Amino acid sequence: MAPHQPWLLLLLLASWPLPGSSETRYQPGDPVVLYVNKVGPYHNPQETYHYYQLPVCSPEKIQHKSLSLGEVLDGDRMAESMYQIRFRESVEKTVLCVKTLTLDQVERLRQAIEELYYFEFVVDDIPLRGFVGYMEESGFLPHSHKIGLWTHLDFHLEWNGNRIIYANVSVRDVKPHSLDDVRGPGPLSLTHTYSVRWSETASERRGERRGRGDDGGFFPHTLEIHWLSIINSMVLVFLLVGFVVVILMRVLKNDLARYNLDEEASSSSSGDDFDQGDNGWKIIHTDVFRFPPCRSLLCAILGVGSQFLALGTGIIAMALLGMFNVHRHGAINSAAILLYALTCCISGYISSNFYRQVGGERWVWNIMLTTSLFSAPFFVTWSVVNSVHWANGSTQALPATTILLLLTVWLLVGFPLTVIGGIFGKNRAGPFDAPCRTKNIAREIPPQPWYKATLVHMTIGGFLPFSAISVELYYIFATVWGREQYTLYGILFFVFAILLSVGACISIALTYFQLSGEDYRWWWRSVLSAGSTGVFIFLYSVFYYSRRSNMSGAVQTVEFFGYSLLTGYIFFLMLGTVSFFASLKFIRYIYVNLKMD
């Protein structure tokens, strides 16, 4: 394959049309195609099925719409409907079809209504949503349980000039057809009808009036901002960071003043000074830069963590630029895939460069480990989740063509960029910048108190960054695993910066306390301390699933916990990388400013 072909493939992926990115111009009487899309339980956002899987009116030959990558990843499967709509032509109670249902089909509809199934139609890239049926439960003794099917839909569309500005579907003045009294072996015959009402609007911007009417209350469009909680969280974070910085700087100033006395005074007082646990970091200067075990794995973590830092920053920057508005569902998915492929060069460069600095020689193995450190767990998790969706007939199961496209993007773009970045990183690597020489024989580490154990540092280093984002985390979970639409990207950027700052400050403080106990094994400890925030995020996901959501069922449960594990893993990589480089810079700073004997 020619060298330029991967870039052509990436360009094709980048130029794939985004949903909602174009508007159709109509003339009076032109047909307006209404697409049926998907149905699913209201409380399980990721459990969706094709609309025609229900026993509803469907054409003899189903014509599917060509979808963008973002729409496919979002579970969309649009197909042409039987509704006949013409621009600016209203119709009243037109028969759609007469559907004859067997008892099994009636039972399927009854079960769907009991599980609060909703449907989604699309007209001119505007989604229309409504519930499949009506359910009412009242009383305890006697208990009343009524189930009805909506057999008539009212479509309301608004136009301005030659464009459709607003559309929704309503059953406000419609009586549902009861499914409670269906008995006997005979089939049930239902007549489905619809009405279309057009009205002119002064609005010229699409979606400007989308918030009113029935559709405006179906899914919440924006999240309520709890400013007091956010401000309280930020104040606590600033106090914490300020406390750590001020106290640590005062302690360091005293340490450096004491250690940098002239040689005679230092010799006479060394016995007293070095016996103090909080001042013992000078005497391990010959061991503090001793390279750790499993260097290749450590460098791979730093490379992939740097890649996700760039990826997260890029996604937030694109959101701040207004590229992910509420009409472009799936656009974030497409952008994430594109940025992940492009940023693979970062992971290869950082990993290979640092691996060569710390004396690594198996750089090919290091590149292979780097490229599979995230892709392998992701592939395993996705395979399980996709298999469950496929077994249940969900539209969230990716088609074979989409799977081949994503695999091709990784093989022809992501993997080669990782290798190219690794080669550049290896060739540009210089010697490791250590201000102290390392002795051949390692110093014995004295017994450490319980509060300096790795598990304690992980608990402290993970909980404090988690507490800084706990409020914002609810909004993110409510968006990804709920029905809300996230619009607080400015606050998200601010919280993301706070998260990285807190992780770095906590890592520096914990590293200082570890070195003060004459324990020089800080390399892996620095990664684990702030990286353990990912564990707290996963624990929060368990709390959110059980206490803050109404999700249920095998399909939704497997997807939720599978991708929650991946989310915690990504935060481990990101914050572990920030924590390590912050500790490394801190250690280099204190030993550069320390006069050695």
Side-chain angles (χ1 to χ4, degrees), residues 226-428:
H226 300 282
W227 289 107
L228 185 61
S229 300
I230 294 176
I231 293 174
N232 180 58
S233 177
M234 291 180 179
V235 169
L236 291 177
V237 167
F238 286 136
L239 290 177
L240 171 66
V241 173
F243 176 80
V244 170
V245 171
V246 171
I247 297 299
L248 199 56
M249 290 303 294
R250 288 180 62 89
V251 172
L252 276 177
K253 184 178 179 180
N254 293 333
D255 285 354
L256 291 173
R258 179 178 303 173
Y259 289 151
N260 289 336
L261 295 175
D262 57 8
E263 185 174 356
E264 293 79 8
S266 179
S267 302
S268 62
S269 60
S270 60
D272 296 332
D273 292 341
F274 293 160
D275 288 339
Q276 300 181 25
D278 60 343
N279 292 323
W281 54 269
K282 178 187 176 180
I283 58 177
I284 59 172
H285 66 273
T286 56
D287 296 291
V288 73
F289 291 105
R290 186 180 304 279
F291 297 146
C294 304
R295 285 174 285 180
S296 184
L297 178 60
L298 175 65
C299 296
I301 291 175
L302 299 179
V304 180
S306 301
Q307 177 186 1
F308 276 105
L309 283 171
L311 176 62
T313 305
I315 291 290
I316 297 177
M318 293 173 68
L320 289 174
L321 294 175
M323 301 181 66
F324 305 138
N325 60 53
V326 295
H327 308 308
R328 294 183 177 178
H329 304 142
I332 292 183
N333 295 332
S334 300
I337 293 173
L338 178 63
L339 287 179
Y340 177 79
L342 290 174
T343 54
C344 282
C345 58
I346 297 178
S347 63
Y349 181 88
I350 297 295
S351 176
S352 184
N353 184 274
F354 198 76
Y355 183 63
R356 178 54 62 94
Q357 289 186 38
V358 296
E361 297 179 352
R362 301 175 60 189
W363 71 274
V364 176
W365 162 250
N366 174 252
I367 290 178
M368 298 301 297
L369 181 62
T370 302
T371 195
S372 60
L373 192 65
F374 173 76
S375 58
F378 174 79
F379 179 77
V380 172
T381 304
W382 172 83
S383 299
V384 174
V385 173
N386 199 68
S387 299
V388 173
H389 281 300
W390 177 81
N392 287 271
S394 171
T395 60
Q396 296 289 337
L398 296 183
T401 53
T402 305
I403 296 174
L404 289 176
L405 172 66
L406 297 178
L407 183 61
T408 304
V409 170
W410 185 81
L411 288 175
L412 298 184
V413 180
F415 179 71
L417 284 180
T418 306
V419 175
I420 293 173
I423 294 175
F424 274 95
K426 175 181 70 71
N427 294 335
R428 295 176 63 88

Side-chain angles (χ1 to χ4, degrees), residues 57 77 108 110 162 164 171 235 301 304 362 447 473 512 524 527 590:
C57 296
R77 302 293 185 271
R108 285 173 58 192
R110 183 185 288 113
N162 56 4
I164 298 176
V171 291
V235 169
I301 291 175
V304 180
R362 301 175 60 189
L473 205 60
Y512 174 79
W524 278 105
V527 173
I590 63 175

Side-chain angles (χ1 to χ4, degrees), residues 89-95 152 154 193-198:
E89 292 184 3
S90 300
V91 296
E92 290 293 337
K93 203 161 186 178
T94 301
V95 175
H152 178 83
D154 286 323
T193 59
Y194 68 98
S195 299
V196 180
R197 298 182 178 89
W198 289 89

